[in-house]
Every structure is written in structure tokens, then in C-alpha cells.
Amino acid sequence: ESVKSDKAIQAGDVSRIHGLVDAQVMPHVDFQRMTAATVGRAWKTATPEQQSKLQAEFKTLLIRTYAGALTKVNSQTTVELKPTRSSPEDTDVTIRTNIKGTGGDPVEIDYKLEKQPAEWKIFDVNVLGVWLVDQYKSSFAQQIASNGIDGLISALVAKNKAPAPAAKS
């Protein structure tokens, strides 16, 4: 509803999208787990400061990457939850959805959630058949192998400072 009613977001205002995602989405994401899984084994050898920088830059990268999709949301957009098979003792579940707009095919987005003490938290997202952690894991591993953790952080900083990709119509 926030996206539907905010003309600045629909126009592609990345700072407004960032603010919305920070306020309404990130509190429900286990971003440390997501970043650690994406970085792989090197996460354990990274300093707390490096881990913090990685999380911040990875979050910015994801928001920038998917900001264009949020600009396509309008008053006709609906979210359909698909049936979920789980039992009360499950600690991990996958929630499947279809995002339907006024034109084109529905976009399938799935969320992997982990039961934590206070609530369920997202730790991976699948957009059109590609899991987010898997999508970045190999490129991060290559960057770490070539330039170390600091090299990955520098590459993410540079990518995040580059002009935002234009939204596709």
C-alpha cells in the first residue's frame, strides 16, 4: 500500500525506496544470515567491522537492484499467496507468492523464512526462479579470492556509487 500511494517511489526515487525498505521490510529480514550465506566461508574470518560494512553495502546493492520493480507497483497490483505446506514444529518454511500487475505475466517471488524467538525472519528470496544468495555467492567468492574481503567491500561500494540502473518499462 505504501508503494501504491507514493508517487516518488513509482517515479524511481531510490532514496524513498531505500527508506521504505528500511522501515517496512528490513526489520523482518535476517540480513546477517543472508549476507553471511552469500559471502560464504570468508564470513567467519572477516572482522566485525568488515561484516558490518558487507551487510550495509549488500543491503544497498539489493535495494538498488530491485528498486525498478517497485516503480512498477500501482493501484492494480495484487499479491497472491500460494498454498504453503508446513507443520507447527517447522523452523524453516518457504512462502510462495505471485505479484500480479495490469500487464504481463505474474512475477513469482518466494521467501525462505526461519522461525526465530520473536518472529519469522526472511533469509533468502527467489525472484523468477533465482535465489538471491545463490545469485551473488559465486561473484562474491571470485572477488574474495582475487582481492580479499576488503576488495569485495570496495567493489560493492563502487557498484553502489555508480548511477542507478534505469527502470525498464
Side-chain angles (χ1 to χ4, degrees):
E1 292 304 315
S2 296
V3 174
K4 288 180 182 181
S5 64
D6 193 320
K7 300 298 179 202
I9 288 175
Q10 291 176 22
D13 183 334
V14 175
S15 65
R16 289 288 282 266
I17 293 169
H18 198 138
L20 174 75
V21 171
D22 263 346
Q24 295 189 16
V25 178
M26 286 303 158
H28 307 289
V29 175
D30 185 342
F31 213 76
Q32 180 176 340
R33 178 177 174 177
M34 186 181 284
T35 308
T38 306
V39 171
R41 283 182 271 171
W43 180 259
K44 292 180 182 177
T45 62
T47 67
E49 181 183 355
Q50 288 172 320
Q51 289 178 351
S52 178
K53 287 180 181 178
L54 283 166
Q55 285 183 67
E57 293 301 328
F58 188 44
K59 179 170 89 170
T60 299
L61 174 67
L62 297 180
I63 291 169
R64 287 170 48 93
T65 300
Y66 294 103
L70 290 179
T71 66
K72 303 294 184 226
V73 173
N74 60 42
S75 62
Q76 305 302 310
T77 303
T78 61
V79 177
E80 172 194 351
L81 288 172
K82 293 182 171 183
T84 300
R85 293 183 184 170
S86 65
S87 60
E89 62 273 2
D90 287 346
T91 57
D92 284 3
V93 297
T94 300
I95 304 298
R96 300 175 340 128
T97 68
N98 272 340
I99 311 297
K100 297 179 181 180
T102 54
D105 294 328
V107 176
E108 293 181 14
I109 302 179
D110 302 336
Y111 305 89
K112 286 186 181 177
L113 290 92
E114 176 185 49
K115 189 174 191 176
Q116 297 188 355
E119 68 175 310
W120 289 87
K121 291 227 176 188
I122 298 166
F123 66 91
D124 204 355
V125 179
N126 178 329
V127 180
L128 298 171
V130 178
W131 286 100
L132 192 77
V133 168
D134 292 340
Q135 179 180 355
Y136 287 102
K137 196 172 200 168
S138 63
S139 65
F140 281 20
Q142 290 172 355
Q143 187 65 245
I144 291 167
S146 298
N147 304 305
I149 291 286
D150 287 329
L152 173 60
I153 293 168
S154 295
L156 290 171
V157 167
K159 189 169 193 156
N160 289 332
K161 286 184 178 177
K168 295 178 182 173
S169 298

